[in-house]
Amino acid sequence: MKSRLHALLQQGYLTPLSYFFARFVAGHYAKDEDSLLIHSAALVSQRNQQGDVCIDIDRFAGQPLFDTSLDEPFPAAPDRETWLSELQSEAAVGEPGADTPLILDGPRLYLARLWNYEQRVQQAIRERMQPVDDIDTGQLGSGLQRLFPQNRSGDTIDWQKLASALAVSRRFAVISGGPGTGKTTTVVRVLALLLEQDPVMHIRLAAPTGKAAARMVDSIRSHRADIHATADIRARIPARASTLHRLLGFNGSGYRHNRRNPLMLDCLVIDEASMIDLPMMARLLDALPPKARLILLGDRDQLASVEAGNVLGDITGHGRSIAWTPDQAQWLAELTASSLSAIPSDETAPAIAGSVALLYTSYRFSNDGGIGTLARHVNTGAGTAALELLRNGQSEQLAWIESGEKQLNPKIIERAVEHYSRYLQCTTPLDALEAFEQVRILCALHSGPFGVQEINRIIAERLRARGLIGSGDDFHGKPVMVTSNDYETDLYNGDIGLLWRNGQQQLRACFRVSGQELRELPVRSLPAHVPAWALTVHKSQGSEFREVLLVLPDDENSPLLSRELIYTGITRARERIIVHASPQALIRGCTNRVRRTSGLAEQLGWPPAIA
């Protein structure tokens, strides 16, 4: 007789990895595959693959462990106390620190590997949360006044100035804000202030993807020439960035830099930190020298990492307001010449809040502008208001295309083909890349009528019918996205380029490195890749486009439809966003929030999340 888990595997409700991990536990601990332990092991593995670091026993107690449409529903878990008691009696489950495949830490059940990563991250952050004790505050104060001579926003507080003061004063700091709030503008000034404190400070820049690293470099180069610092300080601000994998020296099987062989640096700045998963954050912190600074930049409201964890969200309190202790608020007020009454303070603020600064004012989107207002409605769960704003047609930045019944509205394809026809008229690959990067279709799904695979197929078909592209798998003008890291070609997962014929009619793969630099390589040397007229919203993180065509699934119950996904898609657009969706899907998506289970936020001092 087949076990219940095997039935789930056969019908696609359980991944092979989860099933075989459960079988491994059963085989080593002589347990029936239909025992509570084995079902719990399968659930932990399954939830890890869906982004959770652990499972919360309180959440699943008394509920079916797996949601299926099988004729016979999956049995419900026992009540909390019974479940915990049974797990505690199992040899496969250990207390924190035990050498067992599963770890039970309070009401949370972990794979031992992920429990270990979480402990390493929280311990390393705690060790870096204290203020730096060798800061020349007089020099820092005068530097802040020089680099932030006036408050551009008109707010009572210059949040960029406050964030800079905080970042310089801590070995661990997070600067979080939405699009256009000036995260890079701020960090360029932070680096100048740090170099004024220590001119020989060794600073490195990094990001999770090659695209995000290139954008970071372009932004820093464009801002460093404008700051009120000496030519020597401006020249010392780094203008090269690497991916996290390259920074740590990944060689296909492991990482060269770790606790025994740390990175040679004094300060590490990482952009797009919301994309960093828990294992990667643990490796990064392991590889940092004990006295090194770490500055994370990112938007805490964006989608979390593809792999397990929501590290930036855990560190910043998952949307909670940030306040500092009265002592820290007083220090910041004096240092920045700010009004103490305007600085948020709270005697009960957790210690981690002292390392977090939020930027509130967008210089890209005005408070009453279409994209900014739409993003704000989505981010606060006001789906009906978002729908009304899209439908009323009063902002040139916004457009609404209602999806058909289980099919794309032809208007979205027509608009995309019209845009993509333009880059194909360019005569040089650099001009073509510049034109191509202006517009992008972003999707929630990979497959199905609203997914990237089908939309890429349709666009290729329409462009081919116009005689703008050739036939076959590889042709002049084909946009490609790399889907694996390749250290020989220096191309990484998420890098986007074009296939383009040179003057000798040789088809080459062309990638823009930064600014006006172009890399070319033979098409046969390309790592694994897919067409890139349409991308998933996840793959678009770290990018921005003049216009975005956001395609949402028409199924309002799609598990991928969330507030974070819609917000991330919208905020990739600089000037115009076109949303293709059903009204029900948009409203429901703004209601759904991504809630990843972990213990990191509470271990860092944040109160438990409200259910």
Side-chain angles (χ1 to χ4, degrees):
M1 181 178 175
K2 294 179 181 176
S3 69
R4 291 191 177 96
L5 292 183
H6 192 262
L8 293 181
L9 173 69
Q10 287 186 314
Q11 299 197 28
Y13 293 108
L14 192 67
T15 66
L17 179 60
S18 299
Y19 174 71
F20 285 106
F21 173 69
R23 284 199 61 181
F24 163 81
V25 175
H28 281 71
Y29 293 90
K31 283 289 181 178
D32 182 350
E33 284 189 24
D34 277 326
S35 69
L36 179 60
L37 169 66
I38 305 309
H39 290 172
S40 299
L43 180 64
V44 172
S45 177
Q46 186 86 346
R47 296 305 307 178
N48 289 162
Q49 293 165 70
Q50 294 169 355
D52 289 337
V53 175
C54 55
I55 61 168
D56 190 332
I57 299 298
D58 291 335
R59 173 183 171 187
F60 289 95
Q63 305 294 321
L65 295 185
F66 299 94
D67 185 15
T68 74
S69 58
L70 297 174
D71 294 336
E72 182 182 350
F74 202 88
D79 63 82
R80 179 185 194 272
E81 297 307 320
T82 301
W83 194 355
L84 288 173
S85 177
E86 186 161 338
L87 289 175
Q88 288 165 351
S89 70
E90 296 286 359
V93 181
E95 296 180 345
D99 184 18
T100 50
L102 296 166
I103 298 291
L104 187 62
D105 192 347
R108 298 187 180 98
L109 184 65
Y110 293 80
L111 293 182
R113 176 177 61 89
L114 286 170
W115 180 86
N116 183 265
Y117 284 139
E118 189 172 273
Q119 295 308 304
R120 284 155 56 186
V121 168
Q122 66 91 9
Q123 181 178 349
I125 290 176
R126 282 181 174 278
E127 290 171 353
R128 285 181 164 82
M129 285 195 308
Q130 299 305 315
V132 177
D133 56 11
D134 57 352
I135 289 291
D136 183 335
T137 54
Q139 183 184 52
L140 176 56
S142 62
L144 287 165
Q145 299 309 317
R146 175 171 27 86
L147 291 169
F148 297 91
Q150 57 185 7
N151 186 350
R152 294 184 297 151
S153 68
D155 293 341
T156 55
I157 288 288
D158 186 333
W159 296 106
Q160 292 186 3
K161 187 177 184 180
L162 219 62
S164 298
L166 182 145
V168 173
S169 68
R170 302 274 164 156
R171 294 206 184 278
F172 174 75
V174 177
I175 300 175
S176 178
T181 52
K183 294 185 290 294
T184 309
T185 304
T186 303
V187 84
V188 168
R189 286 160 172 78
V190 169
L191 296 180
L193 292 166
L194 287 171
L195 288 165
E196 288 175 355
Q197 296 280 325
D198 179 5
V200 297
M201 181 177 288
H202 185 191
I203 299 169
R204 296 284 300 272
L205 309 177
T209 67
K211 181 66 176 176
R215 277 196 60 227
M216 184 186 193
V217 167
D218 288 345
S219 186
I220 285 179
R221 284 177 176 172
S222 67
H223 285 101
R224 69 177 177 176
D226 301 329
I227 62 173
H228 298 293
T230 65
D232 181 59
I233 291 296
R234 290 199 301 271
R236 290 175 183 272
I237 295 174
R240 293 179 64 85
S242 66
T243 64
L244 299 181
H245 283 80
R246 178 160 286 279
L247 175 76
L248 295 179
F250 184 68
N251 58 17
S253 60
Y255 295 86
R256 182 160 53 90
H257 291 291
N258 49 43
R259 193 167 296 175
R260 294 183 298 276
N261 180 31
L263 293 160
M264 298 294 290
L265 53 79
D266 300 310
C267 177
L268 175 62
V269 180
I270 301 177
D271 199 8
E272 298 293 343
S274 64
M275 300 170 68
I276 305 176
D277 57 55
L278 181 67
M280 177 55 77
M281 184 59 77
R283 295 184 187 107
L284 275 167
L285 291 166
D286 282 350
L288 281 184
K291 297 295 184 181
R293 295 168 177 269
L294 176 62
I295 301 173
L296 303 180
L297 308 177
D299 184 347
R300 66 176 183 171
D301 295 317
Q302 280 189 190
L303 279 169
S305 57
V306 175
E307 304 299 330
N310 181 7
V311 178
L312 188 66
D314 286 337
I315 293 170
T316 58
H318 296 290
R320 290 181 174 89
S321 59
I322 298 295
W324 299 300
T325 63
D327 286 347
Q328 186 178 8
Q330 177 76 43
W331 186 84
L332 288 169
E334 293 174 357
L335 188 66
T336 61
S338 303
S339 169
L340 177 60
S341 62
I343 296 179
S345 66
D346 184 347
E347 289 184 355
T348 65
I352 185 62
S355 294
V356 179
L358 302 183
L359 303 180
Y360 297 97
T361 305
S362 176
Y363 300 95
R364 184 187 306 166
F365 307 129
S366 63
N367 288 334
D368 56 355
I371 295 176
T373 303
L374 179 63
R376 191 164 57 250
H377 285 330
V378 170
N379 211 16
T380 57
T384 302
L387 178 63
E388 178 59 28
L389 182 65
L390 284 164
R391 279 177 158 175
N392 66 29
Q394 293 180 3
S395 172
E396 293 184 357
Q397 292 187 329
L398 308 177
W400 166 257
I401 297 178
E402 189 163 334
S403 65
E405 182 69 25
K406 302 294 183 184
Q407 62 183 359
L408 284 171
N409 187 316
K411 291 180 180 178
I412 199 77
I413 296 296
E414 292 168 9
R415 187 167 186 90
V417 170
E418 190 62 35
H419 278 303
Y420 289 142
S421 297
R422 296 169 190 165
Y423 84 85
L424 291 165
Q425 311 299 322
C426 294
T427 56
T428 69
L430 201 57
D431 288 343
L433 281 164
E434 178 71 27
F436 178 69
E437 289 297 329
Q438 298 304 303
V439 178
R440 199 60 41 88
I441 296 182
L442 302 181
C443 307
L445 306 175
H446 281 281
S447 57
F450 300 93
V452 293
Q453 294 171 357
E454 178 65 7
I455 291 176
N456 276 318
R457 185 193 67 78
I458 294 172
I459 289 175
E461 186 179 83
R462 300 291 173 83
L463 291 173
R464 195 169 285 122
R466 292 189 180 195
L468 295 172
I469 61 173
S471 58
D473 291 335
D474 295 325
F475 46 82
H476 177 80
K478 179 181 179 180
V480 293
M481 181 180 69
V482 175
T483 57
S484 63
N485 295 325
D486 189 301
Y487 295 89
E488 291 187 8
T489 61
D490 203 25
L491 291 173
Y492 301 94
N493 191 350
D495 286 352
I496 292 177
L498 290 175
L499 304 190
W500 206 261
R501 293 197 181 279
N502 60 20
Q504 293 75 44
Q505 293 302 298
Q506 297 170 323
L507 193 63
R508 307 280 286 178
C510 302
F511 294 81
R512 187 163 63 173
V513 180
S514 64
Q516 297 301 303
E517 295 180 44
L518 189 71
R519 284 194 59 221
E520 294 186 23
L521 66 156
V523 173
R524 65 177 179 276
S525 299
L526 266 179
H529 58 278
V530 294
W533 289 290
L535 307 176
T536 62
V537 175
H538 263 294
K539 287 293 187 184
S540 74
Q541 287 181 270
S543 301
E544 64 177 34
F545 312 97
R546 180 176 57 79
E547 180 173 304
V548 166
L549 291 75
L550 179 61
V551 177
L552 301 179
D554 70 338
D555 179 7
E556 61 187 279
N557 296 313
S558 170
L560 294 179
L561 196 58
S562 69
R563 180 185 305 180
E564 290 83 358
L565 179 135
I566 299 171
Y567 170 83
T568 302
I570 289 169
T571 55
R572 300 309 89 203
R574 292 193 305 270
E575 298 178 15
R576 186 171 171 82
I577 175 73
I578 300 171
V579 178
H580 174 286
S582 69
Q584 298 83 359
L586 178 67
I587 293 172
R588 176 64 70 87
C590 290
T591 303
N592 294 338
R593 298 211 65 178
V594 175
R595 298 289 189 188
R596 290 191 167 179
T597 305
S598 83
L600 182 59
E602 288 185 36
Q603 291 176 45
L604 291 175
W606 292 109
I610 299 173

